[in-house]
Amino acid sequence: MKNKKHAATAGFTHHIGGVMFTACLILHSLLFTTIALPSAAQSKRQKVKVRIDSVLNARYFSAKYDTAYIGRPQERLTLKLRTNISGSEFETHQRIAGAEGRGRLSTAHKATVSVGASYRGISVGLALNPGSLSGRNKDFELNVNAYANRYGIDVVYQNSQTLSGLISHNGHYAMLERGMADMKMLIVDAYYAFNGRRFSYPAAFTQSYFQKRSAGSWLVGFSYLGARIKTTEKKIAEDFEMKINIGHLGIGGGYGYNFVAGKHLLLHLSALPTLVIASYNNVEEKGQRLDIGAKFPDFILTERASLVWQFNTRYFMGATFVMSNSFLGDRSAEINYNKWRLRAFFGFRL
């Protein structure tokens, strides 16, 4: 009996040992799988990251330029803090059915603070308008800027309810207060630089390149200016009701120059006038509409300026200025328009 009991106990112990051994194997397998799966996923993510980096690096350094004049920052990431101030002005003079009207209007200056990040030339940004948060300024403005050494484009859309100024009708004057008119406007300016191998717009405006030596370039481009200005009927006297629609497309050429002073300072100046080749304009007062023909020459002028101070290859600061002007109209009506933006920035690369 004793031997049988001992054998049974040994068998039971052996069975428990086998179960525990099997459980250990299962637990070990589970632990290995739990650890291995994230490692495999992490490895896959790492491969994707390396692949994306490889594509971005190839794109980043593939541009053809003269390395004696232009260079690329070696750092992958660029961060910038920017403050922007912008504004616009309209001046009109029209003669409709023996009546004469004038207007000199401007929007409230718009100030924003923004942060931007660029990774291997791919940029994103976030802007904050303190005036909009407080309710003082309900204007909306969208700026899209893309600059390369050979070509670039500025797109500005503005929806403004802060137009104000002095208007007149047959010698009678009235002050147009904020909220009495609204303006919707679209401006598109594009350029092509013939000397893109040695002259760099991005060095002056986005700092995605360095301008090592002074260089200039002849430019060609096109401009489009479209706008609608309309007084708010419920808030203004009938004699001063007004609606203006304008649309202009121009092509032309100009010149830009990057002046490099020493190792730290870059100064950029450029102008690109375009001759209006197609237009659509009309002015309406008190239900009477006047179509405005084009005169020769009508112009849209785009001016750009930039000042960049490079502390070293990593830290920089500066300011940029972009303005669009129009000189439009015929004997029956004239419309002049100015839109400008001033930007100051500080940045560093990692």
Side-chain angles (χ1 to χ4, degrees), residues 261 263-266 307-312 315-319 345:
K263 297 181 179 179
H264 302 285
L265 181 64
L266 169 63
L307 181 68
V308 181
W309 181 265
Q310 196 81 38
F311 295 98
N312 50 46
Y315 296 94
F316 57 90
M317 64 181 295
F345 58 87

Side-chain angles (χ1 to χ4, degrees), residues 138-178:
K138 296 182 180 180
D139 290 359
F140 171 78
E141 184 172 317
L142 174 66
N143 284 273
V144 178
N145 318 107
Y147 293 110
N149 292 331
R150 286 287 184 187
Y151 50 84
I153 189 169
D154 286 308
V155 180
V156 181
Y157 174 77
Q158 183 179 14
N159 188 340
S160 175
Q161 299 178 17
T162 62
L163 274 176
S164 63
L166 190 66
I167 60 176
S168 69
H169 180 76
N170 282 343
H172 299 283
Y173 291 86
M175 182 61 68
L176 191 73
E177 304 289 347
R178 291 188 185 184

Side-chain angles (χ1 to χ4, degrees), residues 229-274:
I229 302 173
K230 181 181 179 182
T231 54
T232 305
E233 297 176 1
K234 296 180 180 179
K235 295 184 179 182
I236 194 167
E238 183 180 354
D239 284 346
F240 296 98
E241 289 181 5
M242 179 178 60
K243 186 188 296 183
I244 301 174
N245 294 293
I246 63 174
H248 296 273
L249 176 65
I251 58 173
Y255 191 79
Y257 193 78
N258 282 348
F259 175 70
V260 178
K263 297 181 179 179
H264 302 285
L265 181 64
L266 169 63
L267 175 64
H268 168 91
L269 292 172
S270 64
L272 181 57
T274 57

Side-chain angles (χ1 to χ4, degrees), residues 85-92 103-109 141 156 158 160 163 183 185-187 189 225-227 229 246 299-303 321-328 334-342:
I85 303 175
S86 61
S88 55
E89 297 86 29
F90 256 104
E91 187 172 358
T92 66
R104 189 178 182 89
L105 309 174
S106 61
T107 62
H109 291 173
E141 184 172 317
V156 181
Q158 183 179 14
S160 175
L163 274 176
M183 178 183 71
M185 180 272 302
L186 175 67
I187 295 178
D189 294 307
L225 168 61
I229 302 173
I246 63 174
F299 280 107
I300 301 172
L301 176 63
T302 302
E303 307 118 288
F321 182 77
V322 179
M323 174 179 277
S324 293
N325 314 90
S326 68
F327 307 93
L328 312 167
E334 294 179 0
I335 301 173
N336 296 322
Y337 174 76
N338 300 315
K339 176 74 176 74
W340 56 270
R341 186 193 71 228
L342 176 65

Side-chain angles (χ1 to χ4, degrees), residues 45 63 110 173 217:
R45 287 195 299 268
K110 180 171 173 288
Y173 291 86
S217 177

Side-chain angles (χ1 to χ4, degrees), residues 40-53:
Q42 185 176 4
S43 176
K44 187 175 181 179
R45 287 195 299 268
Q46 187 67 23
K47 289 180 179 179
V48 172
K49 180 179 180 298
V50 170
R51 176 59 180 168
I52 293 174
D53 267 354

